[in-house]
Amino acid sequence: MSTPSASSNADEPPQQENHQLASLSSLPHEIVLSCLARVPRSCHLNLAHVSKTLRSLIRSRELRSLIHKKNSLYVYLHNPKNKTYHWLTLLQCEETMISYRLAPIPFPCHPFMRHSSAVAVGSEIYYVGGSSEPSSDLWILDTLSGKFHQGPSMKVPRRGVDTWLGVIDGKIYVIGGGCDEKNHVEVFDPETEIWKLLEKEKVVPPRFGCKQYIASLEHKVYMVETGGISVYNPREGRGKRMVGMVSDRLGVAGSNKARKRLSVRVNCVCVVENVLYACFIWHGLMWFDTKLNVWRELVSRDGKELTFKYVHAMTEYEGKLAAFRYLNYGHMSDNTKSVKMFLFALDRVKDRVCGTIEWSGVVAKIPNSSDFLHCLNVSD
């Protein structure tokens, strides 16, 4: 991946650029900001290197307020074969504006990102637990400036493999990863940059060999793993915040009865419009009914079950669910595999969730040995 080159006269653009900037500065301030708000966020880093004036505008609160409702989707790739890492971002193709592609973006790559848990708050991505040994480090990636810096240290060192992150009311909750069975839950306020240590909560670590996925909704943190789901509720009383194994059942749409156990592996988890979705290796894409505490199948518009399997990463994108799947693995002569994206529109209809694939297509080709480490939806 290439990064923007820094030159000695980076803040002194050529004469042609000076002429363009002079024309830009002659426009009313509101029009300039309106124009910049229409520029894809993936281009902001390059614009910030053109001049001090543009850099100031790109980082201004006024511009952030104009593009507040916009979302950006970022993917962090790891290639263990040559030990490289890459960032990609989802873009609309300029030719048609109805198709998409994953394009390289010059964000910094750091070894800490590999084993860490990551969560996005606003335009920043936060990383904790990036080591097999207990660590108190917090690292922050600002997606607007492209800067990666270390934040205030946690009060309790944690192991990356057992550390879980959730976001409630704009604050980051760090659960698990401590050195004993009873762990202090910590909460970080990005506005004040202050850590607060909460009471000890009994946190059951994931089963051996089972990865646990985290999602936040309804002011709670849900931890999904093979065979069940647990929840942390900070609004409950002392000793009642951590609830283990809320559900391990698959429900039936339109019925209050739960049927067979969900004992299969979870591939990925995300939240769209305050509904929790997970993809199971056998059952495919499911949603979680928080009223009955059961997993349910999605249905199509005609009421039939919508079976969708083999998802390698997914996240929310502009109110829809973006699911990614690898294609042609091991069959391409250039040792690459294709990444296909499916964009689902989701509607809650009574006790059902209807899903419709609005768009699908190949968005990237990546090396066979590469995999998604993080797939995140970021907004300002």
Side-chain angles (χ1 to χ4, degrees), residues 9-57:
N9 59 347
D11 294 329
E12 298 177 15
Q15 290 185 359
Q16 183 179 359
E17 291 179 354
N18 277 326
H19 176 72
Q20 293 172 347
L21 290 172
S23 301
L24 189 66
S25 62
S26 65
L27 296 172
H29 188 66
E30 293 78 12
I31 294 179
V32 175
L33 287 172
S34 180
C35 291
L36 290 175
R38 288 167 169 78
V39 175
R41 290 184 61 222
S42 58
C43 299
H44 286 184
L45 290 179
N46 291 332
L47 283 177
H49 284 267
V50 173
S51 71
K52 290 181 178 179
T53 302
L54 277 178
R55 186 183 308 138
S56 175
L57 288 171

Side-chain angles (χ1 to χ4, degrees), residues 137-185:
D137 289 351
L138 167 72
W139 287 83
I140 306 168
L141 172 62
D142 185 341
T143 61
L144 293 181
S145 66
K147 301 295 184 183
F148 188 64
H149 65 278
Q150 192 166 6
S153 296
M154 294 183 290
K155 297 181 181 295
V156 176
R158 301 172 190 271
R159 294 184 300 268
V161 66
D162 297 329
T163 303
W164 311 307
L165 297 183
V167 179
I168 301 175
D169 297 329
K171 297 180 181 180
I172 300 171
Y173 285 75
V174 183
I175 304 168
C179 299
D180 54 15
E181 189 181 47
K182 288 189 175 181
N183 288 272
H184 279 289
V185 176

Side-chain angles (χ1 to χ4, degrees), residues 106-130:
F107 281 168
C109 299
H110 192 281
F112 191 85
M113 296 177 178
R114 180 182 176 187
H115 298 290
S116 61
S117 298
V119 69
V121 179
S123 60
E124 295 179 319
I125 302 174
Y126 295 80
Y127 300 85
V128 301

Side-chain angles (χ1 to χ4, degrees), residues 78-332:
H78 172 225
N79 188 339
K81 188 173 182 179
N82 55 17
K83 299 180 180 180
T84 57
Y85 303 86
H86 305 290
W87 279 100
L88 304 176
T89 185
L90 186 67
L91 300 178
Q92 280 188 308
C93 296
E94 295 180 358
E95 296 81 7
T96 62
M97 296 303 291
I98 58 173
S99 57
Y100 301 85
R101 64 187 176 92
L102 283 173
I105 188 168
F107 281 168
C109 299
H110 192 281
F112 191 85
M113 296 177 178
R114 180 182 176 187
H115 298 290
S116 61
S117 298
V119 69
V121 179
S123 60
E124 295 179 319
I125 302 174
Y126 295 80
Y127 300 85
V128 301
S131 173
S132 57
E133 298 297 326
S135 171
S136 301
D137 289 351
L138 167 72
W139 287 83
I140 306 168
L141 172 62
D142 185 341
T143 61
L144 293 181
S145 66
K147 301 295 184 183
F148 188 64
H149 65 278
Q150 192 166 6
S153 296
M154 294 183 290
K155 297 181 181 295
V156 176
R158 301 172 190 271
R159 294 184 300 268
V161 66
D162 297 329
T163 303
W164 311 307
L165 297 183
V167 179
I168 301 175
D169 297 329
K171 297 180 181 180
I172 300 171
Y173 285 75
V174 183
I175 304 168
C179 299
D180 54 15
E181 189 181 47
K182 288 189 175 181
N183 288 272
H184 279 289
V185 176
E186 287 185 73
V187 59
F188 180 73
D189 187 341
E191 293 291 330
T192 62
E193 294 192 335
I194 294 176
W195 284 101
K196 182 180 179 181
L197 200 62
L198 304 182
E199 293 87 351
K200 285 187 176 182
E201 302 288 346
K202 187 173 182 178
V203 180
V204 180
R207 304 177 202 180
F208 179 75
C210 294
K211 186 174 181 180
Q212 194 169 51
Y213 295 87
I214 307 299
S216 305
L217 71 155
E218 298 177 350
H219 304 287
K220 302 173 186 176
V221 180
Y222 286 80
M223 288 153 277
V224 185
E225 65 175 315
T226 298
I229 181 171
S230 304
V231 63
Y232 175 77
N233 184 356
R235 298 187 178 186
E236 289 289 349
R238 184 185 179 98
K240 298 181 180 180
R241 294 185 179 88
M242 195 74 195
V243 180
M245 205 57 68
V246 171
S247 175
D248 61 353
R249 297 283 180 172
L250 172 64
V252 182
S255 171
N256 290 337
K257 296 181 179 180
R259 60 183 190 190
K260 54 191 173 184
R261 289 180 181 272
L262 269 176
S263 58
V264 294
R265 192 180 54 157
V266 185
N267 277 351
C268 42
V269 166
C270 74
V271 172
V272 181
E273 299 294 327
N274 211 36
V275 177
L276 175 62
Y277 297 88
C279 189
F280 296 87
I281 193 169
W282 289 345
H283 300 283
L285 189 60
M286 313 283 293
W287 68 280
F288 189 67
D289 188 331
T290 55
K291 292 182 179 179
L292 300 178
N293 285 337
V294 292
W295 290 99
R296 295 190 183 277
E297 296 100 340
L298 271 71
V299 297
S300 56
R301 298 290 184 184
D302 57 7
K304 297 180 180 179
E305 289 185 9
L306 179 65
T307 302
F308 187 81
K309 299 181 180 180
Y310 313 116
V311 176
H312 296 97
M314 66 185 190
T315 189
E316 188 272 338
Y317 179 69
E318 295 187 346
K320 299 179 176 65
L321 189 151
F324 296 91
R325 178 188 293 171
Y326 301 141
L327 303 177
N328 307 317
Y329 178 76
H331 298 288
M332 303 294 284

